[in-house]
């Protein structure tokens, strides 16, 4: 496992299962300081469901929430000798996760089977589903 995977990405939406995915990734990288870890949060710009009166304001507050999530993670990751990064991107979550993994040569994606959405998205687990189908590298789905 450790000799095969050297650059892990955890798509993190703050949900319990994405936290579990991050814990698993940390356990893995603790075994070898050469393994790198990226934690990626995507702020979804697609407005669905309820009417939104101020799109800019909503996006801004989502970005702030994502940055706050990342701050806590950053403190935790700083304790490790491994090279780690926390990243916030705007866009469609599954598209951005796939693009990020490709551009950064991630060789393992660790993510939750479910996330935050509840009723907000059309299909539950749509991000994990899409990423599993389309990723070029192995995907570890945490349940
Ligand atoms: N906006 C996002 N940014 C980063 N990772 C995400 C995002 N949305 C989902 N994920 C990842 O995908 C996993 C599954 O979530 P998702 O497919 O969206 O399920 P749900 O439909 O229940 O929200 C999450 O546990 C998380 O790892
Ligand atoms: Mg979701």
């Amino acid at each position: 496992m450790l000799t095969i995977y050297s650059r892990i990405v955890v798509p993190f939406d703050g949900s319990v299962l994405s936290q579990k995915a991050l814990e698993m990734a940390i356990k893995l990288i603790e075994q070898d300081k050469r393994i790198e870890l990226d934690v990626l949060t995507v702020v979804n710009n697609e407005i669905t469901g309820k009417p939104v009166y101020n799109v800019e304001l909503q996006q801004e507050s989502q970005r702030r929430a994502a940055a706050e999530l990342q701050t806590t993670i950053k403190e935790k990751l700083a304790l490790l000798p491994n090279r780690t990064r926390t990243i916030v991107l705007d866009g469609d979550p599954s598209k951005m996760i796939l693009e990020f993994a490709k551009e950064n040569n991630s060789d393992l994606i660790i993510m939750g089977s479910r996330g935050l959405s509840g009723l907000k998205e059309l299909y539950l687990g749509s991000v994990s589903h899409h990423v599993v189908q389309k990723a070029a590298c192995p995907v570890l789905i945490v349940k």
Side-chain angles (χ1 to χ4, degrees):
M1 185 90 175
L2 299 176
T3 48
I4 302 174
Y5 303 116
S6 59
R7 190 170 294 149
I8 298 172
V9 58
V10 174
F12 188 85
D13 63 358
S15 64
V16 172
L17 285 179
S18 73
Q19 285 170 31
K20 208 169 156 187
L22 179 61
E23 291 304 326
M24 186 174 280
I26 289 174
K27 285 216 175 76
L28 281 176
I29 72 168
E30 273 173 348
Q31 294 176 54
D32 189 331
K33 66 179 181 197
R34 291 168 301 180
I35 309 173
E36 302 176 0
L37 175 63
D38 293 321
V39 181
L40 170 64
T41 300
V42 184
V43 175
N44 194 349
N45 287 332
E46 263 175 45
I47 310 298
T48 49
K50 277 199 247 164
V52 173
Y53 300 105
N54 189 333
V55 173
E56 277 302 313
L57 199 69
Q58 198 214 28
Q59 287 178 359
E60 192 43 48
S61 83
Q62 281 185 357
R63 250 177 239 133
R64 244 201 318 273
E68 250 165 57
L69 274 180
Q70 298 280 24
T71 308
T72 325
I73 297 168
K74 238 179 245 174
E75 284 165 11
K76 199 179 220 173
L77 296 181
L79 304 171
L80 299 164
N82 307 64
R83 184 183 152 280
T84 60
R85 295 187 299 181
T86 54
I87 304 109
V88 179
L89 296 175
D90 283 344
D92 173 65
S94 36
K95 189 168 161 249
M96 296 312 289
I97 292 164
L98 289 166
E99 232 174 77
F100 181 90
K102 196 172 162 196
E103 275 169 20
N104 292 276
N105 297 316
S106 311
D107 48 26
L108 178 65
I109 300 171
I110 306 182
M111 66 194 300
S113 59
R114 289 284 162 82
L116 282 178
S117 74
L119 295 173
K120 269 184 261 160
E121 283 168 30
L122 204 49
Y123 303 105
L124 290 180
S126 60
V127 175
S128 56
H129 189 77
H130 198 84
V131 170
V132 166
Q133 304 266 347
K134 296 272 162 62
C137 68
V139 183
L140 178 53
I141 298 283
V142 173
K143 307 174 77 166

